[in-house]
Amino acid sequence: MTRLDPPGGQRRPAVPYPSALARCVSVEPAKFAAAHWGQTPLLSRADELPNPAGFTDLLSTADADELLSRRGLRTPFLRVAKDGQVLPAARYTGGGGAGAEIGDQVLDEKILELYADGATLVLQGLHRNWPPLIDFTGELSQAVGQPLQVNAYLTPPGSQGFATHYDTHDVFVLQVDGRKHWRIHPPVLTDPLERQPWGGRADEVAATAQGPAALDVVLEPGDALYLPRGWLHSAQAQESSSLHLTVGIRALTRYALVEELLALATEDRRLRATLPFGIDLADPDAIEPELTETVEALRDWLLRADPAAVAGRLRQRAWPASRPAPIRPLAQAAALAALTADSQVTVRPGLRWQLTTAGDRVTLHLFDRTITLPAYCEPAVRALLTGAVTRIGDLPALDTDADRLTLTRRLLREAALTPA
């Protein structure tokens, strides 16, 4: 018999809720979820948000300069766009010099030339390489329950990096410095999937952009804007250069359920059957009986679909997209050597986990691995991951401190726990 923890059983870290989300929206979380999430844009002015300093603590223009000049940045962590076109990376990258034999390092003098000539710089993946944004994104991801990514857009005065377009993911736009004029139009395709980018509807997008805007606004430092996927937008810097952050929300859709159901449908022999010998694939009359039987077989299979199997595939798909908080490998290794029964540990912040038991084994499912242990370890593992116990010597269901230390060392080495 297999027991499965309820979905979402992971423990969330103790963070000052809702500080990250409150910095992005000027309404209560419940109202945001009901009235705006996935539906309509929301403009939040700086004086409606809790941090009067705006967003410079997350990334300032000086921080951007440091990334561009002193951090050895490489592609694809930078894109450069001008007149609506993304420039080839060869225009601004080159060799890293002695001791760094690479050919795609960002060259600051090339960036200066392009930026001074009106190009927009897009710093990508900042949720992975800039500490304040790593922490902020981790907390915000916990609040919205979805994986996030963060890019920064640096636009020279009067310039526009991209023509009117839509994104296939929701975004929070956080204006850090300067002023930027945004024009927002309703979708030409509601809730587009990633496989439905705006380029396939360029004429319709361009025509809609000529009509009246749903929102025509200049974002000032400290302002925030939420845009659901599919909403058309363009933005132009005003009299000075502009820096804004775009937090992309990579939410799964119902179509993801369809994809996983179809992947599991390969188990049905009727759906694997070969079409008749010599069938004319261009003849609708020849295809009709095969289509009818296929639809019937698919319907029968869907009625027997196992929610646990679908959930397992979704876990494998979604969890790796949102990494838990960073760990310090050297400090963690040192803690392993110094561990005693009086040591305290805690679950890695942001870690998603799930426990299943089968027979005499318990399996801990993490975002990138599974760990199998004797079933009698289950109460102790659960106590550690839920935070019910932090002192190693207090772990339940294990007879000796030696057993408790062995289990804790394993979970520390697997980066499920960190020293408290």
Side-chain angles (χ1 to χ4, degrees), residues 87-121:
L87 303 182
R91 292 276 303 272
Y92 53 88
T93 61
E101 284 73 21
I102 55 176
D104 65 346
Q105 187 162 321
V106 172
L107 302 178
D108 41 15
E109 62 273 7
K110 297 291 187 181
I111 294 300
L112 168 61
E113 179 182 352
L114 291 169
Y115 184 71
D117 197 35
T120 290
L121 311 179

Side-chain angles (χ1 to χ4, degrees), residues 279-297:
I279 187 172
D280 183 356
L281 300 177
D283 182 0
D285 292 335
I287 291 296
E288 192 278 332
E290 294 301 318
L291 180 60
T292 299
E293 186 170 346
T294 299
V295 169
E296 180 182 344

Side-chain angles (χ1 to χ4, degrees), residues 397-414:
L398 298 177
D399 295 332
T400 68
D401 282 345
D403 290 340
R404 298 181 183 100
L405 287 166
T406 297
L407 173 64
T408 306
R409 286 194 185 99
R410 174 74 186 279
L411 296 180
L412 282 166
R413 185 180 291 274
E414 299 283 2

Side-chain angles (χ1 to χ4, degrees), residues 136-160:
F136 174 80
T137 306
E139 183 182 335
L140 184 57
S141 178
Q142 292 292 312
V144 301
Q146 305 290 346
L148 306 180
Q149 66 181 58
V150 181
N151 295 344
Y153 291 77
L154 298 114
T155 308
S159 294
Q160 178 176 319

Side-chain angles (χ1 to χ4, degrees), residues 191-206:
D191 296 333
L193 302 172
E194 288 195 9
R195 64 181 61 184
Q196 298 173 309
W198 74 276
R201 294 172 169 77
D203 291 343
E204 194 175 356
V205 167

Side-chain angles (χ1 to χ4, degrees), residues 17-365:
Y17 181 83
S19 60
L21 183 59
R23 294 188 68 177
C24 301
V25 298
S26 56
V27 297
E28 291 298 319
K31 182 175 181 180
F32 172 71
H36 297 283
W37 177 251
Q39 300 174 63
T40 60
L42 174 63
L43 172 65
S44 301
R45 290 298 190 183
D47 59 5
E48 301 173 309
L49 297 172
N51 191 348
F55 304 107
T56 54
D57 61 313
L58 301 179
L59 183 81
S60 66
T61 52
D63 296 334
D65 253 346
E66 181 175 334
L67 280 164
L68 292 166
S69 61
R70 301 176 64 88
R71 293 297 182 107
L73 206 64
R74 302 174 64 185
T75 56
F77 288 100
L78 179 71
R79 281 187 302 155
V80 179
K82 188 178 180 185
D83 299 327
Q85 300 295 320
V86 176
L87 303 182
R91 292 276 303 272
Y92 53 88
T93 61
E101 284 73 21
I102 55 176
D104 65 346
Q105 187 162 321
V106 172
L107 302 178
D108 41 15
E109 62 273 7
K110 297 291 187 181
I111 294 300
L112 168 61
E113 179 182 352
L114 291 169
Y115 184 71
D117 197 35
T120 290
L121 311 179
V122 186
L123 290 162
Q124 301 192 134
L126 293 172
H127 60 292
R128 295 288 295 130
N129 61 23
W130 191 249
L133 283 170
I134 292 173
D135 297 339
F136 174 80
T137 306
E139 183 182 335
L140 184 57
S141 178
Q142 292 292 312
V144 301
Q146 305 290 346
L148 306 180
Q149 66 181 58
V150 181
N151 295 344
Y153 291 77
L154 298 114
T155 308
S159 294
Q160 178 176 319
F162 298 92
T164 300
H165 65 284
Y166 65 75
D167 295 321
T168 57
H169 52 270
D170 295 15
V171 298
F172 291 114
V173 177
L174 311 178
Q175 187 69 26
V176 178
D177 190 57
R179 302 166 70 247
K180 206 161 195 180
H181 180 199
W182 287 74
R183 286 177 55 82
I184 313 297
H185 292 81
V188 298
L189 177 67
T190 302
D191 296 333
L193 302 172
E194 288 195 9
R195 64 181 61 184
Q196 298 173 309
W198 74 276
R201 294 172 169 77
D203 291 343
E204 194 175 356
V205 167
T208 303
Q210 298 302 314
L215 189 62
D216 191 326
V217 62
V218 174
L219 291 190
E220 309 273 353
D223 291 347
L225 174 66
Y226 166 73
L227 287 179
R229 58 192 165 109
W231 282 75
L232 309 185
H233 55 276
S234 64
Q236 184 173 27
Q238 298 301 284
E239 66 282 350
S240 62
S241 60
S242 166
L243 167 60
H244 79 262
L245 299 170
T246 293
V247 182
I249 307 165
R250 310 303 291 264
L252 288 182
T253 67
R254 286 184 176 174
Y255 193 75
L257 293 175
V258 173
E259 291 174 324
E260 299 306 338
L261 284 167
L262 287 177
L264 288 168
T266 58
E267 300 171 5
D268 191 296
R269 181 178 178 180
R270 292 171 65 189
L271 293 171
R272 298 198 308 269
T274 304
L275 294 177
F277 180 81
I279 187 172
D280 183 356
L281 300 177
D283 182 0
D285 292 335
I287 291 296
E288 192 278 332
E290 294 301 318
L291 180 60
T292 299
E293 186 170 346
T294 299
V295 169
E296 180 182 344
L298 181 60
R299 181 177 60 247
D300 292 344
W301 184 88
L302 289 174
L303 291 174
R304 304 190 308 271
D306 181 7
V310 177
R313 292 186 64 90
L314 287 174
R315 182 190 69 227
Q316 295 171 7
R317 177 173 178 162
W319 284 13
S322 184
R323 290 182 59 85
I327 60 168
R328 298 178 179 272
L330 302 185
Q332 190 107 339
L336 283 167
L339 215 60
T340 71
D342 289 324
S343 299
Q344 295 193 17
V345 293
T346 186
V347 67
R348 183 178 178 181
L351 183 75
R352 293 170 179 259
W353 58 271
Q354 192 173 54
L355 280 175
T356 60
T357 57
D360 62 351
R361 311 299 290 174
V362 60
T363 301
L364 173 60
H365 303 272

